[in-house]
Amino acid sequence: MTTEIKPLVAADASLEEVQARFSDDKFATAAGCTVVECGVGHAVCEMQLDRNLHYNGMGGVMGGAIFTLADFALAVGCNMGQAPTVSVSNTIEFLSGAKGTKLIATCTADKSGRSVAYYTVDVVDDLATKVARMVATCYRKVK
């Protein structure tokens, strides 16, 4: 007998339902990550930059803060209407220092398979500066 694995988030969940579901991601929410758009294989998340929280000793946005936002957008995008999905490999390229006051991460499915999926997350600031690109390989629990 096969037990059906339910999606972490329903494909037709409202933005408010998705925001509530991911409010349990304590690290990302404490860092200021918010979901602003979502759909199957797609998510847009934002982080308002705080000089007392997100900046490093050299005056730039900390790489860990950028990765946190990218990883949060990935979590939302890869779990919309899918079996519970986690990343197994992530690579991030930092393209430029953030110049604005907010970061925006857009997650897009490159290939969404039954048990393995591939995503790209682009991070820009609110001045359209390309800040980072993350690529991820993800695994879905299928049984």
Side-chain angles (χ1 to χ4, degrees):
M1 180 177 187
T2 303
T3 304
E4 182 182 340
I5 303 289
K6 294 188 188 242
L8 189 64
V9 181
D12 61 350
S14 70
L15 178 59
E16 292 76 19
E17 290 170 319
V18 174
Q19 290 168 332
R21 175 62 182 93
F22 284 95
S23 68
D24 282 340
D25 192 330
K26 302 302 183 194
F27 187 81
T29 55
C33 298
T34 59
V35 182
V36 296
E37 184 180 311
C38 52
V40 175
H42 172 78
V44 178
C45 297
E46 295 179 344
M47 173 191 285
Q48 202 62 41
L49 295 174
D50 180 333
R51 286 257 172 226
N52 296 313
L53 180 63
H54 299 115
Y55 287 78
N56 61 29
M58 294 176 57
V61 177
M62 186 78 161
I66 297 165
F67 184 86
T68 295
L69 177 63
D71 191 49
F72 185 68
L74 173 66
V76 176
C78 72
N79 280 292
M80 291 292 301
Q82 302 291 340
T85 305
V86 296
S87 62
V88 294
S89 176
N90 300 47
T91 303
I92 191 164
E93 302 290 335
F94 298 102
L95 306 173
S96 181
K99 311 280 188 275
T101 60
K102 174 172 61 173
L103 295 178
I104 302 117
T106 302
C107 174
T108 306
D110 298 315
K111 182 179 186 309
S112 186
R114 182 173 177 268
S115 59
V116 177
Y118 304 90
Y119 291 84
T120 298
V121 182
D122 289 305
V123 181
V124 300
D125 66 15
D126 53 336
L127 301 175
T129 306
K130 292 179 181 181
V131 175
R133 172 170 282 167
M134 182 179 79
V135 293
T137 302
C138 299
Y139 171 75
R140 293 202 165 98
K141 184 172 182 167
V142 293
K143 294 185 192 183

